[in-house]
C-alpha cells in the first residue's frame, strides 16, 4: 500500500523539478508569458542579462581550445586571446546559419549549448523554445516539408540528443530537409565516460544522410555549408552536427567568414 504513495511522491517531485527548471529557462532566455522580457516588441533593445554560465566559460582558461605552437593549425587561427578582433566558433556557426537563410531554430537550451544559445540571442535568428526535444525535431521536420529549406533543431547532449531521434527518423523516412545540432561535453572528458556522454554521431548515423562531429573550429563554415547542401539536395533528408563545449568556446580570427550558398534557393512545393 505504501509503494504507490512513494511512487506518487516521486512523480510529484519530478514534475516540480521540471517546472522549476523550465521557469529558469524562460527567465534566462526571454521566452514564455512576457515576464522578465519574455515578449520583446520589434525594435526594442534586448534587456541586460546577468552573468551566466556562458560568461564563466569564457573566463575559464581551461575551456579554451589549445593548439600546440608547432602545429600547422596554429598559423591559421589562435585559440588564446592575444588582442585584436576575435570570434568564437559558436558565434561563427550562428553567422553560418544566418548565411544559410535560417530564420528560426527550435531548441531546448542546455549547459553544453550555452555558447551557441548566447550567440543566437545576439543574432537575427528567432529561438523557439519547446517543452521536449522531440517537439523541436518534428517542428524542424515540418518546416522543411513546407518551405523546401532545411529546418533547424537544437538539443543538448545525452538524453537531449536521444529525444531528437524520433523526429529525425521521421524526416529521414519522409525526405524532409533538416539540420539537427547537438552539444557535447568538453573533449578532455570524452574518454572518461563523463556525465550523460553517449556517441551521438554513431547513434544518428542510420537515420541521417550525413552527420559529423566538429573537431576543429576552423572547419565550422565548411561543415555547416555541407550539412545544409546535403540536407536540401535530392533526395532531401536530415543531417546532424555535434558541437562540443571545447570547440564552441574556441576563438578564431574575426576575419573568418561563412561560406556563401552557391545553389539557388529551392522553390516552394
Amino acid at each position: 500500500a505504501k509503494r504507490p504513495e512513494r511512487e506518487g511522491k516521486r512523480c510529484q517531485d519530478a514534475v516540480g523539478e521540471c517546472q522549476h527548471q523550465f521557469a529558469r529557462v524562460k527567465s534566462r532566455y526571454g521566452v514564455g508569458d512576457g515576464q522578465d522580457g519574455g515578449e520583446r516588441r520589434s525594435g526594442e533593445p534586448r534587456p541586460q542579462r546577468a552573468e551566466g554560465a556562458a560568461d564563466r566559460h569564457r573566463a575559464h582558461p581551461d575551456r579554451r581550445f589549445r593548439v600546440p605552437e608547432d602545429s600547422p593549425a596554429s598559423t591559421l587561427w589562435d585559440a588564446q586571446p592575444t588582442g585584436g578582433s576575435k570570434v568564437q566558433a559558436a558565434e561563427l556557426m550562428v553567422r553560418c546559419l544566418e548565411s544559410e537563410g535560417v530564420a528560426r531554430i527550435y531548441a531546448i537550451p542546455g549547459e553544453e549549448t550555452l555558447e551557441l544559445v548566447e550567440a543566437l540571442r545576439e543574432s537575427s535568428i528567432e529561438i523557439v523554445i519547446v517543452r521536449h526535444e522531440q517537439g523541436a525535431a518534428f517542428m524542424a521536420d515540418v518546416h522543411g516539408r513546407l518551405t523546401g529549406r532545411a529546418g533547424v533543431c537544437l538539443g543538448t547532449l545525452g538524453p537531449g540528443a536521444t529525444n531528437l531521434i524520433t523526429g529525425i527518423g521521421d524526416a529521414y523516412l519522409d525526405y524532409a530537409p533538416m539540420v539537427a545540432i547537438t552539444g557535447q561535453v568538453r573533449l578532455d572528458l570524452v574518454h572518461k565516460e563523463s556525465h550523460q556522454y553517449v556517441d551521438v554521431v554513431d547513434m544518428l548515423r542510420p537515420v541521417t544522410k550525413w552527420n559529423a562531429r566538429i573537431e576543429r573550429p576552423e572547419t565550422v563554415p565548411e561543415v555547416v555549408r555541407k550539412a545544409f547542401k546535403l540536407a536540401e539536395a535530392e533526395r532531401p533528408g536530415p543531417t546532424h552536427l555535434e558541437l562540443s563545449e571545447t570547440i564552441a568556446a574556441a576563438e578564431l580570427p574575426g576575419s573568418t567568414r561563412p561560406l556563401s550558398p552557391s545553389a539557388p534557393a529551392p522553390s516552394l512545393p
Side-chain angles (χ1 to χ4, degrees):
K2 293 183 178 180
R3 182 174 180 180
E5 295 179 1
R6 290 197 300 268
E7 294 296 330
K9 182 63 166 57
R10 289 175 58 186
C11 291
Q12 291 177 358
D13 292 342
V15 170
E17 178 63 21
C18 290
Q19 292 174 341
H20 174 68
Q21 294 296 336
F22 185 65
R24 290 182 59 191
V25 170
K26 289 170 60 179
S27 175
R28 177 175 176 79
Y29 296 105
V31 297
D33 54 11
Q35 298 178 0
D36 296 324
E39 295 182 1
R40 183 170 58 87
R41 295 183 177 88
S42 177
E44 289 185 358
R46 293 183 180 273
Q48 294 294 323
R49 59 180 179 84
E51 179 181 349
D55 304 282
R56 294 193 293 273
H57 284 207
R58 295 188 180 98
H60 199 298
D62 292 338
R63 298 280 182 166
R64 299 299 185 191
F65 190 86
R66 301 180 183 277
V67 182
E69 293 182 358
D70 57 348
S71 169
S74 64
T75 62
L76 301 177
W77 58 280
D78 182 6
Q80 298 300 319
T82 57
S85 176
K86 296 287 183 180
V87 60
Q88 282 191 332
E91 298 173 33
L92 179 59
M93 174 175 273
V94 171
R95 294 180 186 178
C96 293
L97 295 178
E98 290 180 313
S99 177
E100 297 291 341
V102 176
R104 61 185 54 84
I105 182 170
Y106 308 98
I108 288 186
E111 179 184 353
E112 290 73 21
T113 58
L114 282 180
E115 300 285 357
L116 189 59
V117 171
E118 289 298 324
L120 285 167
R121 292 186 67 206
E122 302 302 325
S123 72
S124 61
I125 300 175
E126 176 188 5
I127 309 175
V128 181
I129 304 295
V130 298
R131 290 182 177 269
H132 193 280
E133 287 87 357
Q134 188 177 109
F138 275 111
M139 292 167 80
D141 172 18
V142 174
H143 178 105
R145 297 192 205 187
L146 295 179
T147 66
R149 304 298 299 267
V152 183
C153 57
L154 171 67
T156 187
L157 82 171
T162 59
N163 287 340
L164 290 172
I165 291 181
T166 303
I168 294 175
D170 188 67
Y172 182 76
L173 293 174
D174 291 338
Y175 310 113
M178 173 200 291
V179 174
I181 303 172
T182 58
Q184 190 53 274
V185 297
R186 303 197 316 268
L187 296 181
D188 61 321
L189 297 178
V190 170
H191 69 287
K192 298 179 180 179
E193 299 180 351
S194 182
H195 173 62
Q196 294 185 344
Y197 172 76
V198 293
D199 193 333
V200 179
V201 174
D202 276 352
M203 184 176 62
L204 292 180
R205 185 169 287 118
V207 291
T208 53
K209 290 182 66 177
W210 178 76
N211 72 341
R213 176 180 296 114
I214 302 178
E215 298 179 343
R216 307 293 301 181
E218 69 270 21
T219 64
V220 166
E222 182 179 358
V223 172
V224 173
R225 177 81 281 271
K226 182 176 181 179
F228 277 85
K229 180 179 180 179
L230 293 179
E232 296 173 356
E234 294 297 334
R235 293 178 167 179
T239 59
H240 164 252
L241 299 176
E242 180 183 272
L243 184 69
S244 72
E245 288 183 279
T246 305
I247 303 300
E251 291 187 341
L252 299 97
S255 58
T256 310
R257 294 288 181 268
L259 296 180
S260 299
S262 57
S267 57
L268 292 175

